[in-house]
Amino acid sequence: MRLAIAASLRGDGFAVDSAATLPDADLAIAVNSYDCVVFDRLFRGGDALDYVRDRRSAGWLVPVVFVSALGDIDDQIAGLAYGDYVVKPFAMAELIVRVRTMARPMPTVLPGVKTCGDLKLDPARRDVRRGGVLLTLTPKEFEALDELLSHEGAVVSRRALIERCWPDPPEENALHQLIAGLRRKLRRPEMIHNVRGEGYRIAPA
């Protein structure tokens, strides 16, 4: 069923990733940005409804379509609280219409998303992209970038960055090393600039 659904969605023009277990799906969701996720309720590794419920409580907003042999009205109502719900057996054309409806384009910039040129940081998802490419940052790199983007174009003092990234005084040159690593991951052209004697600022490349 999983392979058939993936093939049908691809045939209708969707880009599709497929996962056989709930942990595999969780990993894919953690590292990719999806317009819609299709879950079988009885997933290998757990109940997908419990997984989605937990993710929603943490602010995860990606639309979901459940497919399930659990067709009792209570099961359907439980699923509809978190997404769409399709009871097996179903016509593949119906599922495609449901997915297309749920995956309608969202606004380019969501509330709370911070941008600077082709750089985009989503605090809710802790998702950073440059030129559409997902970047993998450490927690401290993320916090430093978030602080810089909160004051785009203005100088952020070294002290403000240190207080944001370290609960206790860090080792000497820790901030310098942190910014150097962040610059490497952001790639060229350079966006983070050193302001001698004051701190750092970020501006579109």
Side-chain angles (χ1 to χ4, degrees):
M1 176 65 75
R2 173 175 57 87
L3 297 177
I5 289 174
S8 295
L9 289 171
R10 290 189 183 104
D12 205 67
F14 289 95
V16 180
D17 291 331
S18 177
T21 69
L22 198 52
D24 287 344
D26 183 56
L27 177 60
I29 289 168
V31 300
N32 295 290
S33 179
Y34 294 108
D35 296 318
C36 182
V37 178
V38 179
F39 280 114
D40 194 313
R41 272 288 306 271
L42 301 181
F43 219 88
R44 194 185 309 168
D47 186 336
L49 180 58
D50 292 336
Y51 171 83
V52 173
R53 184 185 294 116
D54 290 343
R55 291 299 298 262
R56 287 282 189 263
S57 67
W60 188 62
L61 301 176
V62 178
V64 169
V65 177
F66 295 102
V67 297
S68 179
L70 302 176
D72 290 347
I73 188 63
D74 289 343
D75 289 317
Q76 295 185 52
I77 290 173
L80 289 170
Y82 298 98
D84 203 349
Y85 199 94
V86 183
V87 178
K88 300 177 185 177
F90 54 85
M92 201 64 73
E94 177 190 1
L95 177 62
I96 290 173
V97 170
R98 300 282 191 109
V99 170
R100 190 170 296 282
T101 299
M102 295 294 285
R104 284 173 179 162
M106 300 175 71
T108 302
V109 178
L110 298 174
V113 173
K114 300 174 184 179
T115 63
C116 179
D118 62 350
L119 180 66
K120 183 183 297 184
L121 181 148
D122 186 335
R125 297 181 180 178
R126 296 190 71 81
D127 182 304
V128 178
R129 296 172 184 268
R130 184 166 189 190
V133 177
L134 181 66
L135 307 180
T136 302
L137 305 185
T138 67
K140 285 185 172 58
E141 288 171 344
F142 185 93
E143 294 299 329
L145 182 59
D146 189 28
E147 185 71 17
L148 289 166
L149 288 173
S150 297
H151 306 278
E152 181 188 347
V155 177
V156 179
S157 70
R158 291 174 53 84
R159 179 175 180 178
L161 287 167
I162 289 172
E163 290 179 350
R164 174 70 184 268
C165 298
W166 285 275
D168 300 309
E171 296 180 4
E172 188 176 357
N173 293 327
L175 179 61
H176 174 78
Q177 294 171 9
L178 178 67
I179 295 296
L182 183 56
R183 280 172 166 157
R184 284 194 299 272
K185 292 182 179 180
L186 293 182
R187 308 184 312 277
R188 293 185 179 277
E190 187 69 69
M191 300 185 71
I192 299 177
H193 307 281
N194 182 33
V195 180
R196 188 181 296 275
E198 296 185 44
Y200 300 90
R201 68 179 179 85
I202 192 167

